[in-house]
Every structure is written in C-alpha cells, then in structure tokens.
PDB file of all heavy atoms in Angstrom:
ATOM      1  N   GLY A   1      68.457  87.378 117.044  1.00  0.00           N
ATOM      2  CA  GLY A   1      67.545  88.060 116.145  1.00  0.00           C
ATOM      3  C   GLY A   1      66.365  87.168 115.803  1.00  0.00           C
ATOM      4  O   GLY A   1      66.218  86.062 116.329  1.00  0.00           O
ATOM      5  N   GLU A   2      65.564  87.624 114.883  1.00  0.00           N
ATOM      6  CA  GLU A   2      64.373  86.854 114.535  1.00  0.00           C
ATOM      7  C   GLU A   2      64.692  85.586 113.743  1.00  0.00           C
ATOM      8  O   GLU A   2      63.894  84.679 113.686  1.00  0.00           O
ATOM      9  CB  GLU A   2      63.391  87.722 113.757  1.00  0.00           C
ATOM     10  CG  GLU A   2      63.912  88.174 112.404  1.00  0.00           C
ATOM     11  CD  GLU A   2      62.921  89.052 111.688  1.00  0.00           C
ATOM     12  OE1 GLU A   2      62.583  90.112 112.234  1.00  0.00           O
ATOM     13  OE2 GLU A   2      62.506  88.666 110.582  1.00  0.00           O
ATOM     14  N   HIS A   3      65.879  85.532 113.124  1.00  0.00           N
ATOM     15  CA  HIS A   3      66.251  84.357 112.341  1.00  0.00           C
ATOM     16  C   HIS A   3      67.213  83.450 113.082  1.00  0.00           C
ATOM     17  O   HIS A   3      67.893  82.639 112.464  1.00  0.00           O
ATOM     18  CB  HIS A   3      66.864  84.778 111.009  1.00  0.00           C
ATOM     19  CG  HIS A   3      65.900  85.498 110.129  1.00  0.00           C
ATOM     20  ND1 HIS A   3      64.809  84.881 109.553  1.00  0.00           N
ATOM     21  CD2 HIS A   3      65.836  86.789 109.737  1.00  0.00           C
ATOM     22  CE1 HIS A   3      64.138  85.748 108.840  1.00  0.00           C
ATOM     23  NE2 HIS A   3      64.726  86.919 108.939  1.00  0.00           N
ATOM     24  N   THR A   4      67.289  83.563 114.398  1.00  0.00           N
ATOM     25  CA  THR A   4      68.187  82.727 115.195  1.00  0.00           C
ATOM     26  C   THR A   4      67.384  82.000 116.253  1.00  0.00           C
ATOM     27  O   THR A   4      66.570  82.609 116.945  1.00  0.00           O
ATOM     28  CB  THR A   4      69.268  83.578 115.886  1.00  0.00           C
ATOM     29  OG1 THR A   4      69.970  84.319 114.894  1.00  0.00           O
ATOM     30  CG2 THR A   4      70.242  82.706 116.639  1.00  0.00           C
ATOM     31  N   ARG A   5      67.621  80.689 116.358  1.00  0.00           N
ATOM     32  CA  ARG A   5      66.988  79.874 117.403  1.00  0.00           C
ATOM     33  C   ARG A   5      68.077  79.208 118.212  1.00  0.00           C
ATOM     34  O   ARG A   5      69.147  78.887 117.706  1.00  0.00           O
ATOM     35  CB  ARG A   5      66.100  78.788 116.792  1.00  0.00           C
ATOM     36  CG  ARG A   5      64.781  79.290 116.322  1.00  0.00           C
ATOM     37  CD  ARG A   5      63.841  78.174 115.948  1.00  0.00           C
ATOM     38  NE  ARG A   5      64.273  76.878 116.423  1.00  0.00           N
ATOM     39  CZ  ARG A   5      63.962  75.733 115.852  1.00  0.00           C
ATOM     40  NH1 ARG A   5      63.223  75.707 114.786  1.00  0.00           N
ATOM     41  NH2 ARG A   5      64.383  74.596 116.330  1.00  0.00           N
ATOM     42  N   PHE A   6      67.780  78.968 119.475  1.00  0.00           N
ATOM     43  CA  PHE A   6      68.685  78.276 120.377  1.00  0.00           C
ATOM     44  C   PHE A   6      67.996  77.007 120.860  1.00  0.00           C
ATOM     45  O   PHE A   6      66.826  77.044 121.228  1.00  0.00           O
ATOM     46  CB  PHE A   6      69.025  79.150 121.595  1.00  0.00           C
ATOM     47  CG  PHE A   6      69.758  80.411 121.239  1.00  0.00           C
ATOM     48  CD1 PHE A   6      69.078  81.560 120.878  1.00  0.00           C
ATOM     49  CD2 PHE A   6      71.139  80.450 121.278  1.00  0.00           C
ATOM     50  CE1 PHE A   6      69.753  82.720 120.555  1.00  0.00           C
ATOM     51  CE2 PHE A   6      71.826  81.608 120.956  1.00  0.00           C
ATOM     52  CZ  PHE A   6      71.131  82.743 120.590  1.00  0.00           C
ATOM     53  N   LEU A   7      68.707  75.889 120.857  1.00  0.00           N
ATOM     54  CA  LEU A   7      68.191  74.635 121.407  1.00  0.00           C
ATOM     55  C   LEU A   7      69.022  74.272 122.627  1.00  0.00           C
ATOM     56  O   LEU A   7      70.245  74.335 122.578  1.00  0.00           O
ATOM     57  CB  LEU A   7      68.318  73.494 120.394  1.00  0.00           C
ATOM     58  CG  LEU A   7      67.418  73.517 119.192  1.00  0.00           C
ATOM     59  CD1 LEU A   7      67.730  72.331 118.298  1.00  0.00           C
ATOM     60  CD2 LEU A   7      65.972  73.477 119.607  1.00  0.00           C
ATOM     61  N   THR A   8      68.352  73.879 123.701  1.00  0.00           N
ATOM     62  CA  THR A   8      69.069  73.499 124.911  1.00  0.00           C
ATOM     63  C   THR A   8      68.270  72.484 125.699  1.00  0.00           C
ATOM     64  O   THR A   8      67.082  72.294 125.465  1.00  0.00           O
ATOM     65  CB  THR A   8      69.382  74.741 125.773  1.00  0.00           C
ATOM     66  OG1 THR A   8      70.167  74.357 126.873  1.00  0.00           O
ATOM     67  CG2 THR A   8      68.118  75.410 126.266  1.00  0.00           C
ATOM     68  N   GLY A   9      68.937  71.848 126.642  1.00  0.00           N
ATOM     69  CA  GLY A   9      68.290  70.902 127.538  1.00  0.00           C
ATOM     70  C   GLY A   9      67.793  71.597 128.792  1.00  0.00           C
ATOM     71  O   GLY A   9      68.005  72.794 129.005  1.00  0.00           O
ATOM     72  N   GLU A  10      67.145  70.854 129.641  1.00  0.00           N
ATOM     73  CA  GLU A  10      66.515  71.384 130.853  1.00  0.00           C
ATOM     74  C   GLU A  10      67.473  72.115 131.798  1.00  0.00           C
ATOM     75  O   GLU A  10      67.157  73.201 132.250  1.00  0.00           O
ATOM     76  CB  GLU A  10      65.837  70.226 131.597  1.00  0.00           C
ATOM     77  CG  GLU A  10      65.014  70.655 132.778  1.00  0.00           C
ATOM     78  CD  GLU A  10      63.656  71.173 132.356  1.00  0.00           C
ATOM     79  OE1 GLU A  10      63.091  70.648 131.402  1.00  0.00           O
ATOM     80  OE2 GLU A  10      63.172  72.104 133.004  1.00  0.00           O
ATOM     81  N   PRO A  11      68.652  71.565 132.123  1.00  0.00           N
ATOM     82  CA  PRO A  11      69.484  72.221 133.138  1.00  0.00           C
ATOM     83  C   PRO A  11      69.974  73.612 132.741  1.00  0.00           C
ATOM     84  O   PRO A  11      70.126  74.469 133.592  1.00  0.00           O
ATOM     85  CB  PRO A  11      70.677  71.279 133.318  1.00  0.00           C
ATOM     86  CG  PRO A  11      70.350  70.029 132.619  1.00  0.00           C
ATOM     87  CD  PRO A  11      69.246  70.315 131.674  1.00  0.00           C
ATOM     88  N   LEU A  12      70.206  73.857 131.465  1.00  0.00           N
ATOM     89  CA  LEU A  12      70.775  75.130 131.030  1.00  0.00           C
ATOM     90  C   LEU A  12      69.727  76.110 130.518  1.00  0.00           C
ATOM     91  O   LEU A  12      70.042  77.254 130.221  1.00  0.00           O
ATOM     92  CB  LEU A  12      71.809  74.878 129.934  1.00  0.00           C
ATOM     93  CG  LEU A  12      72.951  73.931 130.289  1.00  0.00           C
ATOM     94  CD1 LEU A  12      73.822  73.668 129.080  1.00  0.00           C
ATOM     95  CD2 LEU A  12      73.766  74.492 131.426  1.00  0.00           C
ATOM     96  N   MET A  13      68.488  75.671 130.428  1.00  0.00           N
ATOM     97  CA  MET A  13      67.452  76.467 129.802  1.00  0.00           C
ATOM     98  C   MET A  13      67.184  77.783 130.534  1.00  0.00           C
ATOM     99  O   MET A  13      67.111  78.834 129.922  1.00  0.00           O
ATOM    100  CB  MET A  13      66.163  75.638 129.699  1.00  0.00           C
ATOM    101  CG  MET A  13      65.005  76.346 129.045  1.00  0.00           C
ATOM    102  SD  MET A  13      63.902  77.165 130.184  1.00  0.00           S
ATOM    103  CE  MET A  13      63.407  75.864 131.244  1.00  0.00           C
ATOM    104  N   ALA A  14      67.075  77.755 131.848  1.00  0.00           N
ATOM    105  CA  ALA A  14      66.702  78.963 132.602  1.00  0.00           C
ATOM    106  C   ALA A  14      67.761  80.049 132.493  1.00  0.00           C
ATOM    107  O   ALA A  14      67.432  81.220 132.267  1.00  0.00           O
ATOM    108  CB  ALA A  14      66.456  78.601 134.060  1.00  0.00           C
ATOM    109  N   SER A  15      69.020  79.685 132.641  1.00  0.00           N
ATOM    110  CA  SER A  15      70.070  80.708 132.578  1.00  0.00           C
ATOM    111  C   SER A  15      70.208  81.284 131.171  1.00  0.00           C
ATOM    112  O   SER A  15      70.430  82.484 131.002  1.00  0.00           O
ATOM    113  CB  SER A  15      71.405  80.134 133.049  1.00  0.00           C
ATOM    114  OG  SER A  15      71.810  79.081 132.208  1.00  0.00           O
ATOM    115  N   LEU A  16      70.043  80.453 130.150  1.00  0.00           N
ATOM    116  CA  LEU A  16      70.133  80.940 128.783  1.00  0.00           C
ATOM    117  C   LEU A  16      68.949  81.837 128.442  1.00  0.00           C
ATOM    118  O   LEU A  16      69.113  82.878 127.808  1.00  0.00           O
ATOM    119  CB  LEU A  16      70.212  79.764 127.816  1.00  0.00           C
ATOM    120  CG  LEU A  16      70.471  80.116 126.360  1.00  0.00           C
ATOM    121  CD1 LEU A  16      71.829  80.782 126.201  1.00  0.00           C
ATOM    122  CD2 LEU A  16      70.389  78.885 125.493  1.00  0.00           C
ATOM    123  N   ALA A  17      67.757  81.462 128.887  1.00  0.00           N
ATOM    124  CA  ALA A  17      66.562  82.279 128.626  1.00  0.00           C
ATOM    125  C   ALA A  17      66.685  83.647 129.273  1.00  0.00           C
ATOM    126  O   ALA A  17      66.302  84.657 128.679  1.00  0.00           O
ATOM    127  CB  ALA A  17      65.321  81.560 129.131  1.00  0.00           C
ATOM    128  N   ALA A  18      67.257  83.695 130.474  1.00  0.00           N
ATOM    129  CA  ALA A  18      67.439  84.976 131.155  1.00  0.00           C
ATOM    130  C   ALA A  18      68.448  85.851 130.422  1.00  0.00           C
ATOM    131  O   ALA A  18      68.257  87.064 130.292  1.00  0.00           O
ATOM    132  CB  ALA A  18      67.876  84.744 132.596  1.00  0.00           C
ATOM    133  N   ALA A  19      69.528  85.258 129.933  1.00  0.00           N
ATOM    134  CA  ALA A  19      70.563  86.033 129.248  1.00  0.00           C
ATOM    135  C   ALA A  19      70.085  86.545 127.893  1.00  0.00           C
ATOM    136  O   ALA A  19      70.404  87.648 127.490  1.00  0.00           O
ATOM    137  CB  ALA A  19      71.820  85.183 129.063  1.00  0.00           C
ATOM    138  N   ILE A  20      69.305  85.725 127.200  1.00  0.00           N
ATOM    139  CA  ILE A  20      68.855  86.101 125.862  1.00  0.00           C
ATOM    140  C   ILE A  20      67.605  86.976 125.917  1.00  0.00           C
ATOM    141  O   ILE A  20      67.373  87.796 125.043  1.00  0.00           O
ATOM    142  CB  ILE A  20      68.596  84.833 125.021  1.00  0.00           C
ATOM    143  CG1 ILE A  20      69.922  84.128 124.785  1.00  0.00           C
ATOM    144  CG2 ILE A  20      67.936  85.154 123.710  1.00  0.00           C
ATOM    145  CD1 ILE A  20      69.790  82.814 124.102  1.00  0.00           C
ATOM    146  N   GLY A  21      66.809  86.805 126.951  1.00  0.00           N
ATOM    147  CA  GLY A  21      65.594  87.597 127.075  1.00  0.00           C
ATOM    148  C   GLY A  21      64.432  87.038 126.278  1.00  0.00           C
ATOM    149  O   GLY A  21      63.589  87.780 125.787  1.00  0.00           O
ATOM    150  N   ARG A  22      64.388  85.723 126.146  1.00  0.00           N
ATOM    151  CA  ARG A  22      63.292  85.069 125.441  1.00  0.00           C
ATOM    152  C   ARG A  22      62.630  84.058 126.363  1.00  0.00           C
ATOM    153  O   ARG A  22      63.222  83.592 127.320  1.00  0.00           O
ATOM    154  CB  ARG A  22      63.809  84.307 124.218  1.00  0.00           C
ATOM    155  CG  ARG A  22      64.244  85.165 123.079  1.00  0.00           C
ATOM    156  CD  ARG A  22      64.562  84.290 121.899  1.00  0.00           C
ATOM    157  NE  ARG A  22      65.041  85.056 120.780  1.00  0.00           N
ATOM    158  CZ  ARG A  22      65.531  84.523 119.687  1.00  0.00           C
ATOM    159  NH1 ARG A  22      65.622  83.211 119.571  1.00  0.00           N
ATOM    160  NH2 ARG A  22      65.947  85.279 118.702  1.00  0.00           N
ATOM    161  N   THR A  23      61.414  83.685 126.010  1.00  0.00           N
ATOM    162  CA  THR A  23      60.700  82.646 126.735  1.00  0.00           C
ATOM    163  C   THR A  23      60.963  81.312 126.055  1.00  0.00           C
ATOM    164  O   THR A  23      60.843  81.199 124.835  1.00  0.00           O
ATOM    165  CB  THR A  23      59.186  82.931 126.739  1.00  0.00           C
ATOM    166  OG1 THR A  23      58.976  84.234 127.281  1.00  0.00           O
ATOM    167  CG2 THR A  23      58.441  81.908 127.561  1.00  0.00           C
ATOM    168  N   ALA A  24      61.312  80.319 126.840  1.00  0.00           N
ATOM    169  CA  ALA A  24      61.603  78.994 126.295  1.00  0.00           C
ATOM    170  C   ALA A  24      60.312  78.247 125.992  1.00  0.00           C
ATOM    171  O   ALA A  24      59.357  78.303 126.754  1.00  0.00           O
ATOM    172  CB  ALA A  24      62.450  78.192 127.273  1.00  0.00           C
ATOM    173  N   GLN A  25      60.310  77.547 124.862  1.00  0.00           N
ATOM    174  CA  GLN A  25      59.177  76.725 124.458  1.00  0.00           C
ATOM    175  C   GLN A  25      59.645  75.279 124.372  1.00  0.00           C
ATOM    176  O   GLN A  25      60.666  75.002 123.748  1.00  0.00           O
ATOM    177  CB  GLN A  25      58.661  77.161 123.080  1.00  0.00           C
ATOM    178  CG  GLN A  25      58.219  78.599 123.022  1.00  0.00           C
ATOM    179  CD  GLN A  25      56.994  78.846 123.869  1.00  0.00           C
ATOM    180  OE1 GLN A  25      56.100  78.005 123.918  1.00  0.00           O
ATOM    181  NE2 GLN A  25      56.957  79.973 124.525  1.00  0.00           N
ATOM    182  N   PRO A  26      58.906  74.338 124.977  1.00  0.00           N
ATOM    183  CA  PRO A  26      59.329  72.936 124.860  1.00  0.00           C
ATOM    184  C   PRO A  26      59.116  72.431 123.438  1.00  0.00           C
ATOM    185  O   PRO A  26      58.129  72.754 122.796  1.00  0.00           O
ATOM    186  CB  PRO A  26      58.423  72.200 125.854  1.00  0.00           C
ATOM    187  CG  PRO A  26      57.242  73.088 126.017  1.00  0.00           C
ATOM    188  CD  PRO A  26      57.712  74.494 125.791  1.00  0.00           C
ATOM    189  N   LEU A  27      60.078  71.662 122.961  1.00  0.00           N
ATOM    190  CA  LEU A  27      59.939  71.049 121.645  1.00  0.00           C
ATOM    191  C   LEU A  27      59.059  69.814 121.763  1.00  0.00           C
ATOM    192  O   LEU A  27      59.108  69.104 122.772  1.00  0.00           O
ATOM    193  CB  LEU A  27      61.304  70.637 121.098  1.00  0.00           C
ATOM    194  CG  LEU A  27      62.224  71.780 120.693  1.00  0.00           C
ATOM    195  CD1 LEU A  27      63.555  71.218 120.220  1.00  0.00           C
ATOM    196  CD2 LEU A  27      61.603  72.609 119.597  1.00  0.00           C
ATOM    197  N   PRO A  28      58.262  69.526 120.755  1.00  0.00           N
ATOM    198  CA  PRO A  28      57.432  68.320 120.820  1.00  0.00           C
ATOM    199  C   PRO A  28      58.307  67.075 120.808  1.00  0.00           C
ATOM    200  O   PRO A  28      59.351  67.047 120.159  1.00  0.00           O
ATOM    201  CB  PRO A  28      56.564  68.403 119.568  1.00  0.00           C
ATOM    202  CG  PRO A  28      57.249  69.358 118.672  1.00  0.00           C
ATOM    203  CD  PRO A  28      58.072  70.267 119.521  1.00  0.00           C
ATOM    204  N   GLU A  29      57.867  66.082 121.549  1.00  0.00           N
ATOM    205  CA  GLU A  29      58.611  64.834 121.592  1.00  0.00           C
ATOM    206  C   GLU A  29      58.382  64.054 120.310  1.00  0.00           C
ATOM    207  O   GLU A  29      57.276  64.008 119.790  1.00  0.00           O
ATOM    208  CB  GLU A  29      58.179  63.993 122.794  1.00  0.00           C
ATOM    209  CG  GLU A  29      58.568  64.620 124.116  1.00  0.00           C
ATOM    210  CD  GLU A  29      58.187  63.736 125.285  1.00  0.00           C
ATOM    211  OE1 GLU A  29      58.150  62.501 125.125  1.00  0.00           O
ATOM    212  OE2 GLU A  29      57.924  64.293 126.351  1.00  0.00           O
ATOM    213  N   ARG A  30      59.456  63.440 119.825  1.00  0.00           N
ATOM    214  CA  ARG A  30      59.338  62.615 118.626  1.00  0.00           C
ATOM    215  C   ARG A  30      58.808  61.250 119.017  1.00  0.00           C
ATOM    216  O   ARG A  30      59.115  60.744 120.093  1.00  0.00           O
ATOM    217  CB  ARG A  30      60.696  62.459 117.959  1.00  0.00           C
ATOM    218  CG  ARG A  30      61.199  63.756 117.375  1.00  0.00           C
ATOM    219  CD  ARG A  30      62.500  63.554 116.679  1.00  0.00           C
ATOM    220  NE  ARG A  30      63.507  63.165 117.671  1.00  0.00           N
ATOM    221  CZ  ARG A  30      64.724  62.787 117.391  1.00  0.00           C
ATOM    222  NH1 ARG A  30      65.108  62.710 116.149  1.00  0.00           N
ATOM    223  NH2 ARG A  30      65.570  62.477 118.341  1.00  0.00           N
ATOM    224  N   PRO A  31      58.022  60.625 118.156  1.00  0.00           N
ATOM    225  CA  PRO A  31      57.552  59.273 118.466  1.00  0.00           C
ATOM    226  C   PRO A  31      58.735  58.310 118.521  1.00  0.00           C
ATOM    227  O   PRO A  31      59.674  58.415 117.736  1.00  0.00           O
ATOM    228  CB  PRO A  31      56.611  58.928 117.321  1.00  0.00           C
ATOM    229  CG  PRO A  31      56.802  59.970 116.291  1.00  0.00           C
ATOM    230  CD  PRO A  31      57.513  61.121 116.902  1.00  0.00           C
ATOM    231  N   ARG A  32      58.677  57.402 119.488  1.00  0.00           N
ATOM    232  CA  ARG A  32      59.760  56.432 119.644  1.00  0.00           C
ATOM    233  C   ARG A  32      59.568  55.284 118.664  1.00  0.00           C
ATOM    234  O   ARG A  32      58.450  54.824 118.444  1.00  0.00           O
ATOM    235  CB  ARG A  32      59.776  55.890 121.072  1.00  0.00           C
ATOM    236  CG  ARG A  32      60.144  56.961 122.082  1.00  0.00           C
ATOM    237  CD  ARG A  32      60.270  56.408 123.474  1.00  0.00           C
ATOM    238  NE  ARG A  32      59.053  55.718 123.850  1.00  0.00           N
ATOM    239  CZ  ARG A  32      58.979  54.817 124.819  1.00  0.00           C
ATOM    240  NH1 ARG A  32      60.035  54.517 125.513  1.00  0.00           N
ATOM    241  NH2 ARG A  32      57.846  54.235 125.115  1.00  0.00           N
ATOM    242  N   PRO A  33      60.661  54.789 118.093  1.00  0.00           N
ATOM    243  CA  PRO A  33      60.560  53.650 117.178  1.00  0.00           C
ATOM    244  C   PRO A  33      60.019  52.410 117.889  1.00  0.00           C
ATOM    245  O   PRO A  33      60.151  52.262 119.104  1.00  0.00           O
ATOM    246  CB  PRO A  33      62.004  53.413 116.721  1.00  0.00           C
ATOM    247  CG  PRO A  33      62.741  54.655 117.068  1.00  0.00           C
ATOM    248  CD  PRO A  33      62.017  55.289 118.206  1.00  0.00           C
ATOM    249  N   ARG A  34      59.421  51.533 117.106  1.00  0.00           N
ATOM    250  CA  ARG A  34      58.795  50.325 117.646  1.00  0.00           C
ATOM    251  C   ARG A  34      59.798  49.468 118.431  1.00  0.00           C
ATOM    252  O   ARG A  34      59.497  48.983 119.513  1.00  0.00           O
ATOM    253  CB  ARG A  34      58.183  49.506 116.527  1.00  0.00           C
ATOM    254  CG  ARG A  34      57.570  48.201 117.025  1.00  0.00           C
ATOM    255  CD  ARG A  34      56.981  47.400 115.919  1.00  0.00           C
ATOM    256  NE  ARG A  34      55.770  48.085 115.477  1.00  0.00           N
ATOM    257  CZ  ARG A  34      55.161  47.830 114.350  1.00  0.00           C
ATOM    258  NH1 ARG A  34      55.653  46.942 113.522  1.00  0.00           N
ATOM    259  NH2 ARG A  34      54.069  48.459 114.029  1.00  0.00           N
ATOM    260  N   LEU A  35      61.009  49.291 117.906  1.00  0.00           N
ATOM    261  CA  LEU A  35      62.014  48.472 118.585  1.00  0.00           C
ATOM    262  C   LEU A  35      62.371  49.067 119.953  1.00  0.00           C
ATOM    263  O   LEU A  35      62.512  48.333 120.931  1.00  0.00           O
ATOM    264  CB  LEU A  35      63.271  48.344 117.713  1.00  0.00           C
ATOM    265  CG  LEU A  35      64.383  47.467 118.258  1.00  0.00           C
ATOM    266  CD1 LEU A  35      63.900  46.032 118.438  1.00  0.00           C
ATOM    267  CD2 LEU A  35      65.580  47.492 117.316  1.00  0.00           C
ATOM    268  N   LEU A  36      62.474  50.380 120.024  1.00  0.00           N
ATOM    269  CA  LEU A  36      62.772  51.027 121.299  1.00  0.00           C
ATOM    270  C   LEU A  36      61.619  50.858 122.285  1.00  0.00           C
ATOM    271  O   LEU A  36      61.838  50.641 123.480  1.00  0.00           O
ATOM    272  CB  LEU A  36      63.073  52.509 121.080  1.00  0.00           C
ATOM    273  CG  LEU A  36      63.514  53.297 122.295  1.00  0.00           C
ATOM    274  CD1 LEU A  36      64.778  52.704 122.913  1.00  0.00           C
ATOM    275  CD2 LEU A  36      63.749  54.742 121.922  1.00  0.00           C
ATOM    276  N   ARG A  37      60.382  50.923 121.797  1.00  0.00           N
ATOM    277  CA  ARG A  37      59.239  50.702 122.684  1.00  0.00           C
ATOM    278  C   ARG A  37      59.251  49.283 123.237  1.00  0.00           C
ATOM    279  O   ARG A  37      58.961  49.067 124.404  1.00  0.00           O
ATOM    280  CB  ARG A  37      57.937  50.971 121.938  1.00  0.00           C
ATOM    281  CG  ARG A  37      57.704  52.438 121.657  1.00  0.00           C
ATOM    282  CD  ARG A  37      56.279  52.703 121.211  1.00  0.00           C
ATOM    283  NE  ARG A  37      55.794  51.821 120.173  1.00  0.00           N
ATOM    284  CZ  ARG A  37      55.735  52.115 118.888  1.00  0.00           C
ATOM    285  NH1 ARG A  37      56.131  53.283 118.463  1.00  0.00           N
ATOM    286  NH2 ARG A  37      55.264  51.249 118.010  1.00  0.00           N
ATOM    287  N   TRP A  38      59.580  48.285 122.389  1.00  0.00           N
ATOM    288  CA  TRP A  38      59.669  46.902 122.859  1.00  0.00           C
ATOM    289  C   TRP A  38      60.793  46.754 123.888  1.00  0.00           C
ATOM    290  O   TRP A  38      60.641  46.055 124.889  1.00  0.00           O
ATOM    291  CB  TRP A  38      59.919  45.953 121.680  1.00  0.00           C
ATOM    292  CG  TRP A  38      58.683  45.672 120.902  1.00  0.00           C
ATOM    293  CD1 TRP A  38      58.216  46.372 119.837  1.00  0.00           C
ATOM    294  CD2 TRP A  38      57.751  44.632 121.155  1.00  0.00           C
ATOM    295  NE1 TRP A  38      57.045  45.822 119.395  1.00  0.00           N
ATOM    296  CE2 TRP A  38      56.732  44.749 120.187  1.00  0.00           C
ATOM    297  CE3 TRP A  38      57.672  43.607 122.082  1.00  0.00           C
ATOM    298  CZ2 TRP A  38      55.670  43.887 120.130  1.00  0.00           C
ATOM    299  CZ3 TRP A  38      56.597  42.744 122.017  1.00  0.00           C
ATOM    300  CH2 TRP A  38      55.605  42.891 121.057  1.00  0.00           C
ATOM    301  N   TRP A  39      61.928  47.376 123.610  1.00  0.00           N
ATOM    302  CA  TRP A  39      63.063  47.314 124.533  1.00  0.00           C
ATOM    303  C   TRP A  39      62.674  47.903 125.891  1.00  0.00           C
ATOM    304  O   TRP A  39      62.980  47.343 126.934  1.00  0.00           O
ATOM    305  CB  TRP A  39      64.258  48.035 123.925  1.00  0.00           C
ATOM    306  CG  TRP A  39      65.453  48.103 124.806  1.00  0.00           C
ATOM    307  CD1 TRP A  39      65.956  49.214 125.403  1.00  0.00           C
ATOM    308  CD2 TRP A  39      66.300  47.025 125.215  1.00  0.00           C
ATOM    309  NE1 TRP A  39      67.060  48.890 126.144  1.00  0.00           N
ATOM    310  CE2 TRP A  39      67.293  47.549 126.045  1.00  0.00           C
ATOM    311  CE3 TRP A  39      66.300  45.664 124.947  1.00  0.00           C
ATOM    312  CZ2 TRP A  39      68.279  46.773 126.621  1.00  0.00           C
ATOM    313  CZ3 TRP A  39      67.297  44.878 125.513  1.00  0.00           C
ATOM    314  CH2 TRP A  39      68.263  45.434 126.334  1.00  0.00           C
ATOM    315  N   CYS A  40      62.003  49.040 125.894  1.00  0.00           N
ATOM    316  CA  CYS A  40      61.572  49.675 127.144  1.00  0.00           C
ATOM    317  C   CYS A  40      60.578  48.789 127.892  1.00  0.00           C
ATOM    318  O   CYS A  40      60.624  48.702 129.116  1.00  0.00           O
ATOM    319  CB  CYS A  40      60.962  51.043 126.858  1.00  0.00           C
ATOM    320  SG  CYS A  40      62.184  52.277 126.420  1.00  0.00           S
ATOM    321  N   ALA A  41      59.681  48.144 127.149  1.00  0.00           N
ATOM    322  CA  ALA A  41      58.727  47.249 127.800  1.00  0.00           C
ATOM    323  C   ALA A  41      59.440  46.078 128.461  1.00  0.00           C
ATOM    324  O   ALA A  41      59.095  45.678 129.580  1.00  0.00           O
ATOM    325  CB  ALA A  41      57.702  46.744 126.784  1.00  0.00           C
ATOM    326  N   LEU A  42      60.457  45.526 127.796  1.00  0.00           N
ATOM    327  CA  LEU A  42      61.230  44.433 128.367  1.00  0.00           C
ATOM    328  C   LEU A  42      61.977  44.892 129.625  1.00  0.00           C
ATOM    329  O   LEU A  42      61.972  44.205 130.647  1.00  0.00           O
ATOM    330  CB  LEU A  42      62.214  43.880 127.335  1.00  0.00           C
ATOM    331  CG  LEU A  42      63.167  42.795 127.832  1.00  0.00           C
ATOM    332  CD1 LEU A  42      62.386  41.541 128.220  1.00  0.00           C
ATOM    333  CD2 LEU A  42      64.205  42.479 126.780  1.00  0.00           C
TER     334      LEU A  42
END
C-alpha cells in the first residue's frame, strides 16, 4: 500500500519489483566515516 516500503539489495531487486508492481529507486549512499576512508586508502 501507500504506507509500506520495501528495502532490498541489487540481486533481489528485479524479482521483487516485478512481483510488487513498483519501480525501484536507489537509496542515496551515506557518507563514509573518516576512519573508514583512511582504511580504504591504506
């Protein structure tokens, strides 16, 4: 209904969207913490 949302990852998104009859919208990415950015750089 209008008050229900579904969250899913990439592999399951297409089959769920087809079953529910809605168009999937990507969620905005959250900014990564500074420590994680340093870890990734290392």
Side-chain angles (χ1 to χ4, degrees):
E2 65 181 60
H3 296 292
T4 304
R5 282 190 14 207
F6 297 86
L7 289 178
T8 185
E10 187 80 36
L12 303 175
M13 181 266 303
S15 62
L16 187 63
I20 293 174
R22 288 187 182 172
T23 304
Q25 301 293 322
L27 290 178
E29 293 183 29
R30 292 183 295 173
R32 293 185 305 160
R34 177 180 288 165
L35 183 61
L36 185 59
R37 289 193 312 260
W38 282 90
W39 177 250
C40 287
L42 176 65

